[in-house]
Amino acid sequence: MRSLERYQVLTFIAAFLGWTLDAFDFFTVSFALPYIAEDFNMKPSDIAASITVTLFLRPVGALIFGILADKYGRKYPLMVDIILYSAVELASGFAPNFQVFVALRAIFGIAMGGEWGLGAALAMEALPPEARGLFSGILQQGYPTGYIIAAIFYYAVISTLGWRAMFWIGSFPALVVVFMRFFVPESKAWEKTRETRSTDHNMFHDVKKVFKEYWLRIIHTILLMAGFGFTSHGTQDLFPTFLKTQLSFSPEEITVTTIIANIGSIIGGTTCGYLSQYLGRRKMVVASMILAGAFLPLIAIPINKPLVTFGSFVVYFFVQGAFGVVPAHLNELSPPAYRGTFPGLTYQLGTLIASSSAQVEAKLGEVFPKNGLPNYGLTIAIMSACAMVVVIVFMSTGGEKKHVNFMEESEISLEDNREVVETKNAQ
């Protein structure tokens, strides 16, 4: 941490706040869902469709904003992205009916999909190679941090000011843009390869080129991120329902347990991200998946409530510990000219594949009941264990570029482009 320069610290803070507040806005719907349903005179399951719409449009945002970031820099497209999701969050609080609300959440999905890739690229390109592991782990934990902030505001706001006030509060991330405008510089690695991008024709040409040249790496990374998504969502999405339905946890116990588990996520992501700088990205992820699987029985075969809480802390520690490696790993694997597009697009497409995990677990739990109740604990353990095996397989068969220097890589890419241009001119 002491090795970072001032601009590197400020850049990372901006990226972390962008992702944290983006997650906060996303989870606002999850917490406010029953109140929204009551206001619109609909079933909660109908309102939940807005969450699905948000998830489905995240890859679209990753592609659009990723291409913009590769063409025009990381900073200003990210600022536009943050303004967009802040404005949509504010407007969601004024939605007069469900149709308007779901349309706004669709736009939010595009903005949310763009934020992760741009923020991760801006942060990772600003950091020295030896610091990427630690700060990758911290950056990824903006997601559970956003969850905890949403839980706190839910407790403090919704019963007194109503669900709409939560969305109005969610518009405050727009202030991050002011901070970025005056204190965060553009990525130096991107500026190094500006000449490379100036030879491209248009947005559609960029999409075609990146898929043509790197299709195998893209497919492998998407499948890896799908495994990550099923592991993360498989242990998280149905967990509160499992606590309430099967274990008879009270609302207070559910809140405390989920917050403790997410604290485990934050500590695990930071710790494992840091250790990946020494052990390597692949070894750290594989070790985390094995250890997470070892503690799954504490959730699947619950003995008592304290052990379930402890088990959730440890499982989340290692699941999100592995996820803490992702921002650094995907940016290191990314071709330098497409670092705005590649990490975010593969991440969001993998997440899209895994978006059905809660529904699959719920259905399997009903098919294999225990004591007359859906056996959610068993299905959470089975799906999560299978996903962990997938992550281990794809992580072990993929590459690793832990020590790559983004500035040097950009210079090589620039030289290669100049040689291509000179050859064309000669011909």
Side-chain angles (χ1 to χ4, degrees):
M1 287 186 174
R2 287 196 300 269
S3 69
L4 300 188
E5 297 181 27
R6 182 174 178 270
Y7 85 90
Q8 293 171 323
V9 174
L10 295 175
T11 299
F12 179 81
I13 289 173
F16 179 81
L17 287 176
W19 181 228
T20 298
L21 297 173
D22 198 2
F24 163 69
D25 289 352
F26 174 74
F27 284 117
T28 296
V29 177
S30 300
F31 281 103
L33 196 146
Y35 301 88
I36 300 172
E38 182 180 358
D39 196 6
F40 290 157
N41 196 25
M42 298 176 69
K43 295 178 181 178
S45 58
D46 295 329
I47 304 298
S50 65
I51 299 176
T52 304
V53 170
T54 297
L55 292 173
F56 266 80
L57 285 170
R58 279 166 61 169
V60 177
L63 180 61
I64 294 173
F65 281 98
I67 292 174
L68 291 175
D70 285 329
K71 272 188 167 296
Y72 304 111
R74 320 301 190 209
K75 177 180 175 179
Y76 291 104
L78 181 57
M79 290 168 62
V80 171
D81 186 281
I82 293 174
I83 290 174
L84 177 61
Y85 80 67
S86 299
V88 169
E89 193 72 2
L90 178 65
S92 296
F94 291 100
N97 52 55
F98 178 68
Q99 289 73 24
V100 174
F101 183 79
V102 76
L104 289 169
R105 301 320 292 176
I107 300 172
F108 179 83
I110 294 174
M112 186 177 188
E115 202 288 331
W116 187 90
L118 271 64
L122 183 65
M124 294 300 108
E125 287 179 339
L127 297 168
E130 63 273 11
R132 280 201 297 263
L134 170 63
F135 286 96
S136 171
I138 298 173
L139 177 64
Q140 188 61 26
Q141 300 325 304
Y143 195 73
T145 302
Y147 178 95
I148 292 174
I149 295 173
I152 293 171
F153 274 92
Y154 166 76
Y155 177 78
V157 171
I158 203 156
S159 61
T160 55
L161 300 178
W163 68 267
R164 294 181 184 274
M166 287 190 67
F167 287 90
W168 299 334
I169 292 170
S171 65
F172 280 98
L175 297 175
V176 177
V177 172
V178 178
F179 173 80
M180 290 184 63
R181 172 63 182 85
F182 293 102
F183 299 105
V184 177
E186 181 56 83
S187 166
K188 294 180 180 179
W190 175 82
E191 290 179 339
K192 275 282 184 182
T193 56
R194 183 182 299 183
E195 185 177 323
T196 303
R197 282 176 295 278
S198 67
T199 63
D200 292 339
H201 299 89
N202 53 51
M203 182 177 292
F204 298 102
H205 174 76
D206 291 343
V207 175
K208 182 180 177 181
K209 185 175 180 181
V210 70
F211 276 97
K212 181 179 179 181
E213 294 183 6
Y214 303 101
W215 65 271
L216 185 60
R217 193 185 306 184
I218 290 172
I219 292 174
H220 184 277
T221 309
I222 290 172
L223 293 176
L224 171 65
M225 293 313 302
F228 267 110
F230 273 110
T231 303
S232 178
H233 289 282
T235 54
Q236 292 179 350
D237 291 1
L238 208 63
F239 188 58
T241 304
F242 161 65
L243 295 177
K244 180 180 184 298
T245 304
Q246 262 186 275
L247 305 185
S248 301
F249 273 44
S250 68
E252 292 78 13
E253 289 173 328
I254 292 173
T255 301
V256 170
T257 300
T258 52
I259 287 179
I260 288 174
N262 277 279
I263 291 173
S265 297
I266 294 170
I267 298 173
T270 303
T271 302
C272 295
Y274 176 70
L275 291 176
S276 75
Q277 202 64 40
Y278 301 95
L279 300 178
R281 314 297 187 213
R282 293 192 297 178
K283 289 181 180 178
M284 190 68 252
V285 169
V286 170
S288 296
M289 289 290 100
I290 292 172
L291 290 169
F295 283 91
L296 272 176
L298 290 180
I299 296 176
I301 312 172
I303 299 172
N304 54 52
K305 291 181 178 180
L307 271 181
V308 170
T309 301
F310 171 74
S312 65
F313 176 90
V314 179
V315 170
Y316 281 38
F317 180 100
F318 287 114
V319 168
Q320 294 304 316
F323 234 121
V325 178
V326 167
H329 186 61
L330 293 192
N331 276 275
E332 289 162 353
L333 291 180
S334 175
Y338 303 104
R339 195 168 287 119
T341 306
F342 180 89
L345 182 60
T346 54
Y347 180 100
Q348 299 299 351
L349 285 173
T351 300
L352 177 62
I353 294 172
S355 63
S356 62
S357 58
Q359 290 88 340
V360 173
E361 285 180 343
K363 183 61 68 176
L364 289 175
E366 295 168 359
V367 173
F368 302 102
K370 180 180 180 181
N371 300 326
L373 296 172
N375 196 350
Y376 294 135
L378 179 63
T379 57
I380 287 173
I382 291 174
M383 175 172 283
S384 300
C386 292
M388 290 169 187
V389 172
V390 170
V391 172
I392 290 171
V393 170
F394 279 95
M395 199 71 187
S396 301
T397 56
E400 179 173 334
K401 299 171 67 177
K402 183 182 70 172
H403 298 294
V404 65
N405 186 303
F406 291 155
M407 290 296 293
E408 293 177 358
E409 192 179 47
S410 298
E411 290 175 358
I412 293 172
S413 176
L414 183 57
E415 289 299 322
D416 291 342
N417 182 72
R418 285 171 177 164
E419 290 178 7
V420 171
V421 172
E422 290 172 0
T423 302
K424 289 182 177 179
N425 291 338
Q427 291 174 344

